[in-house]
Amino acid sequence: MDKAYIPKNIEKELYNFWNKNGFFKPSKRKYKKNFCIVMPPPNITGNLHMGHAFQHTIMDILVRYNRMQGKNTLWQVGLDHAGIATQMIVEKNILKKKKKNIFEYGVKKFIHTIWKWKKKSEKKIYNQMRRLGDSVFWENKIFTLDKNFSKSVKKIFNNLYKDNLIYKRKKISNWDIKLQTVISDLEVKYKDISGKIFYIKYPLLSYINKTQNFCKYIIIGTTRPETLLGDVAIAVNPKDVRYKKFIGEYVVVPLVNRVIPIIIDKLANIDKGTGCVKITPAHDLNDYKVGLRHKLPMINFMKNNGTVRNKAKIYDFNGIITTCYSSYIPKELHGYDRLIARKKIIKKIKKINLFHSSSKHIIHLPYGDRSNSIIEPMLTNQWYLNVGLLSKKAIQVVKNGNISFIPKNYEKMFFSWMKNINDWCISRQLWWGHRIPIWYDSIFNVYVGSNEKIIRKKYNIPNKIILKKENDVLDTWFSSSLWTFVSLGWLENTKIFNMFHPTNILVSGFDIIFFWISKMIMMTLYIIKDDNYISNIPFKKIYITGLIGDDEGNKMSKSKGNVVDPLDLIDGITFNDLIKKRVKNITNKNKIEKIFLNTKKIFPNGISPMGADALRLSFAKLSSNNRYIHWNINVVESCRNFCTKLWNASIFILMQTSKKYYKFDQLSLKNSILDLWISIKFNILVKKYKKYLKQYRFDLLAQILNKFFRNNFCDWYLELSKSIIINDKLKKYNVRNTMLFILESFLRLAHPIIPFITEYIWQKIKKLMFIKRKTIMLESIPKTIKITESLNSQKKNLKNISFLKKIIICLRKMRLYINFKKNFLIPIFLKIENPEIFLFFSKYNFFLKKIAYIKSITILKTDDLVPFSIVQSIDQVQLFIPVLGVMTIKKEIIRLKMSIKKMILKIMYIKKKLINSSFMRFAPIIVIKKQKKQLIEFEQELSKLLQQLKIICKFNVNKFY
RNA sequence: GGGUGAUUAGCUCAGUUGGUAGAGCGCCUCCUUUACACGGAGGAUGUCGGCGGUUCAAUUCCGUCAUUACCCACCA
């Protein structure tokens, strides 16, 4: 092994070794148990970010663990075409490079360019996965627009259509003007913007008729005056006394002179605006509902690009064109963007004296999540999936516990959302995606099928009738919702599908529970039935991870310039390169300055290479139940340090065990006090390891592995074993056996989290242990070590070693107090009350001599005179170290007094309890016993402390004062 | 407005079937002893968000308030 741990030198090679040997492949043989995870397919829009790396780590830990448990294991990998996101990013690219928008560029060319983009992205993303160590089944990788995937999508669309679950309807929906597509509610994000509210006078019709003089109005507040072009009613609250008298009357809409009724509806809020609200069903989500309630017509005045039409389109409440109103729109508004039209309208209204006032107002504006443009609710014809029944079934399987969330509290979120779910709008006006498998003839009859040929045959349509394919594509989440079964080969009914579906666990962020997880559950329940026609679930468990933010808790985003690329953590990056990456595409100078300062603060010297193992270990450590994870480089550093420690300890063990005269022999694993101790500790580790894995507590898992290896194995076992190797020639074989054995077992325990370094070291030591198998990946998770000693003697062993540790720690402490140099050998004197401990000392004093640099140990009788010393007592032993010098003594007196004070407080606390009659009456006997025992211990301790103080003070007084 | 979580050491977070609390990082002191300074040894640090209730006992259970984060709804 190289002297220094440099992850770069080992990781890539090991990954190739695993992959080439097919270790990631599931077997086609029948196994007792199967284990499968389907990876949430990353979008092809860009690289994997920290969140991906985090989730992949969790998945790989589970996959590797289960593989090592001897299960037939599959981690399914693939990519998502990500409709809107990809189309946007490529569109932007084309605009930048070719100065053309996509309409100028052309559909065919555009699609071709996206495929090229996909190829590039795929390469990058898959490379990242390899660097992270993802043990995925590469041969089965799949893309959501692959031919087979498309076939499945079409087939499922057909089934849903046949079952009357899919319908097309004109409804109001969120329209993205920039992308010119409908988007779902979930893709709309709200922002608070300071804007204006305008108050406009709507003349009352009855008054006009009477006096020909506009002097009575109803005043309406609106932030979107242009929508008056689509007004069909004014609503007031039934409880609002101010407007009671006007109910049933009519007003005239300014500019278009449309006569519309005043109606009552609970939507009108007495406290908001003027209390009456204009109703524009074609351009407002709430008004749409009011329109349906009151069977009002819908007037659409806006084109899909957000400009004002020349003539309004008028529909009845069912969406059927009517002529109940004039389609007149003032000429001077034609063709203008709705925001410009707004200004023009205000101007004109002022002119005709119908303007009342305006005021500043904070508006909660809807924006497209992707395009970042203001969303206009619009009447459009879209395809919907009826999810009424599907959602109920999905709620059932979670309620039954067939699917469970980890952590559990996400179930509440899931239920409340699923209960209020609307029908799913599955069509999008995009080019990149699955075309909806629908054909129309010239009179808009609808035909469903997977291609035109089949449809003509099926419906017996002659060739002279022209069929036109639906232009819309399906929402990305439609194909994603089929991911678990289609990716496994549902269409072809493959062996793999039959073996591994339903999958075991889905690992995902909470941000896509509604987008994706809920839909997967619904679709799978609908499509997949077992032999008894019982619906199948897509996965048994859902592990929800937190989202990774920067160390202040902000989301990592390119525009904030706080992104950390997982590959940069693995390979390292200089400060300058990091800055370059972070300010790329950012033009605002202040922002650049800010990013620079922030980066300087957190990564003053860039990032040094950490390696994939350290990164993975850090993710495991951070994976608590928290929703937001404050990610910090320090954690990765401490994890890298752990890997280095593992590396160095292995070098030491290799040094010890690759000697010519030594041969590993597992049978001679005889338990000396030390070997027995580490075996017991190891067994505790294994038990906890399994427990935490069962609970999906990877943070605790990482913690106990670290604790065992550092605090037990390195700090005590290896250190103490040195004295055996030096001193006891008979036992050194056993010690070498044990250290090798424990190391090898530990490597297997740690492998799922830190696969590279464990494999590397394992390859080095396997020869020494005569292991012929190829890889640690396919070894088994270690079981507890069989210990022949009785439980009692195990307990005793733990006690003895902990006693030994106490003495050593105490000696070290005293040494520091006295300011002895570390390697200055000191004589110590002991007074021992307990004969058992006396025995212990005579047996194991060589440990002390080596590790605590003791020159000699003299055991005194109770009455023997003691040289001038500072004293410590541990259990039933008094420990004396002879000293000279005033300062030490003074220091020691202060320390002792402090300890005495603390001890007295502790004793008081317990005594108070024991005096309390209620406590004695009601507390369980065990608790009382425990407290009593503790009191005795504390009191003993106190008396010893007092005695020490006495001795020291005496010494102090006699000698110097 | 409806909902869900969080509040524990300077920071990031664990924990307790109720019996005065832990880790990592940071900080202080000492040590370059042949596995390891990406190390070792030792140390300091907390009215466990406030108030009230249940209980012999509350950081833990219940109520309430405060702060904070997020989810859903919301363009008068």
Side-chain angles (χ1 to χ4, degrees), chain A residues 812 815-816 818-826 852-853:
Chain A
R812 284 172 178 162
R815 197 181 262 286
L816 258 176
I818 306 165
N819 273 334
F820 280 149
K821 281 220 162 176
K822 177 88 193 275
N823 54 1
F824 178 78
L825 299 181
I826 49 171
Y853 295 89

Side-chain angles (χ1 to χ4, degrees), chain A residues 894-945:
Chain A
I894 292 168
R895 196 189 62 83
L896 276 172
K897 281 185 175 166
M898 282 278 285
S899 311
I900 288 167
K901 226 183 198 173
K902 272 187 188 168
M903 193 52 69
I904 289 174
L905 278 174
K906 276 185 181 173
I907 289 170
M908 296 276 280
Y909 181 79
I910 296 179
K911 271 192 173 168
K912 221 168 136 189
K913 268 188 183 176
L914 290 174
I915 288 168
N916 186 336
S917 59
S918 304
F919 173 76
M920 297 305 283
R921 214 179 326 143
F922 293 108
I925 298 170
I926 306 167
V927 174
I928 296 177
K929 258 189 182 169
K930 225 169 146 187
Q931 294 285 329
K932 277 185 176 165
K933 202 180 153 196
Q934 216 165 37
L935 182 67
I936 293 168
E937 279 171 19
F938 286 166
E939 278 177 334
Q940 276 175 1
E941 196 104 336
L942 180 68
S943 77
K944 270 172 198 167
L945 285 169

Side-chain angles (χ1 to χ4, degrees), chain A residues 47 738 796 873 886:
Chain A
N47 297 353
T738 308
K796 210 169 164 189
S873 45
V886 199

Side-chain angles (χ1 to χ4, degrees), chain A residues 5 7 610-615 617 637-650 709-710 754 757 761:
Chain A
Y5 166 58
M610 300 290 174
D613 284 326
L615 181 63
L617 184 56
E637 260 164 13
S638 80
C639 290
R640 183 207 42 195
N641 296 351
F642 174 79
C643 291
T644 311
K645 186 83 181 169
L646 177 59
W647 184 270
N648 288 324
S650 302
F709 195 76
R710 264 179 199 276
I754 44 174
I757 189 172
I761 297 168

Side-chain angles (χ1 to χ4, degrees), chain A residues 624-638:
Chain A
S624 62
N625 290 343
N626 241 318
R627 269 197 198 181
Y628 279 88
I629 291 160
H630 294 229
W631 182 85
N632 193 306
I633 184 81
N634 290 339
V635 180
V636 193
E637 260 164 13
S638 80

Side-chain angles (χ1 to χ4, degrees), chain A residues 346-579:
Chain A
I346 289 297
K347 226 177 179 179
K348 221 178 158 197
I349 282 179
K350 277 181 180 165
K351 238 183 200 170
I352 57 173
N353 277 330
L354 289 177
F355 183 81
H356 178 266
S357 63
S358 70
S359 62
K360 276 188 183 171
H361 189 70
I362 300 289
I363 315 171
H364 213 53
L365 271 185
Y367 281 83
D369 197 16
R370 298 277 175 193
S371 69
N372 210 23
S373 65
I374 298 172
I375 294 303
E376 294 294 338
M378 200 91 90
L379 270 184
T380 55
N381 250 325
Q382 302 291 345
W383 289 95
Y384 291 88
L385 176 64
N386 181 342
V387 290
L389 198 67
L390 299 180
S391 64
K392 271 176 200 146
K393 281 187 177 165
I395 290 173
Q396 261 314 308
V397 288
V398 176
K399 268 204 174 137
N400 291 343
N402 294 344
I403 298 178
S404 54
F405 279 82
I406 307 157
K408 215 173 168 73
N409 54 326
Y410 286 105
E411 281 175 15
K412 274 186 193 167
M413 204 163 123
F414 176 78
F415 290 140
S416 75
W417 192 79
M418 286 300 268
K419 271 178 197 158
N420 299 315
I421 193 170
N422 289 325
D423 279 356
W424 175 13
C425 174
I426 51 172
S427 50
R428 294 289 184 276
Q429 289 65 52
L430 298 171
W431 292 346
W432 180 241
H434 294 277
R435 282 280 281 282
I436 294 179
I438 290 274
W439 278 260
Y440 305 98
D441 62 17
S442 54
I443 50 169
F444 292 102
N445 285 315
V446 172
Y447 306 100
V448 190
S450 32
N451 62 49
E452 201 178 317
K453 242 187 195 171
I454 291 174
I455 283 172
R456 284 191 189 275
K457 212 172 167 190
K458 192 170 149 196
Y459 296 97
N460 206 8
I461 306 168
N463 279 335
K464 63 181 175 191
I465 293 177
I466 293 168
L467 289 179
K468 211 184 145 208
K469 194 176 181 185
E470 168 69 61
N471 272 326
D472 290 357
V473 300
L474 287 164
D475 178 14
T476 305
W477 300 106
F478 187 89
S479 51
S480 310
S481 69
L482 319 173
W483 183 246
T484 50
F485 54 92
V486 171
S487 69
L488 293 179
W490 163 75
L491 191 69
E492 306 91 333
N493 198 22
T494 58
K495 247 186 182 174
I496 280 189
F497 169 73
N498 286 304
M499 255 183 196
F500 291 107
H501 200 276
T503 66
N504 292 71
I505 184 164
L506 178 81
V507 177
S508 172
F510 67 82
D511 52 335
I512 51 174
I513 291 180
F514 307 139
F515 273 119
W516 189 45
I517 295 175
S518 60
K519 284 160 188 167
M520 271 198 285
I521 298 175
M522 290 193 287
M523 287 300 230
T524 310
L525 286 174
Y526 169 74
I527 299 288
I528 312 289
K529 313 271 177 194
D530 65 13
D531 298 338
N532 303 319
Y533 283 92
I534 292 172
S535 289
N536 258 10
I537 48 174
F539 28 71
K540 294 160 194 156
K541 293 205 158 90
I542 303 166
Y543 178 91
I544 302 287
T545 64
L547 300 186
I548 303 257
D550 69 9
D551 65 346
E552 282 170 11
N554 298 311
K555 247 189 187 172
M556 282 194 186
S557 73
K558 276 182 192 163
S559 61
K560 278 185 195 142
N562 60 352
V563 171
V564 180
D565 184 337
L567 274 191
D568 291 340
L569 280 168
I570 293 175
D571 292 331
I573 186 168
T574 63
F575 177 74
N576 285 338
D577 286 348
L578 184 59
I579 287 286

Side-chain angles (χ1 to χ4, degrees), chain A residues 5 66 99 131 241 274 316 478 543 648 651 674 699 725 755 819 941:
Chain A
Y5 166 58
N66 279 285
K99 309 266 181 260
R131 294 303 311 278
V241 284
T274 57
D316 71 5
F478 187 89
Y543 178 91
N648 288 324
I651 288 178
L674 199 56
D699 55 337
I725 287 166
N819 273 334
E941 196 104 336

Side-chain angles (χ1 to χ4, degrees), chain A residues 715-730:
Chain A
D715 294 350
W716 292 105
Y717 181 78
L718 289 186
E719 286 309 319
L720 289 173
S721 73
K722 284 177 190 168
S723 28
I724 293 181
I725 287 166
I726 289 166
N727 284 306
D728 191 334
K729 280 178 185 157
L730 290 171

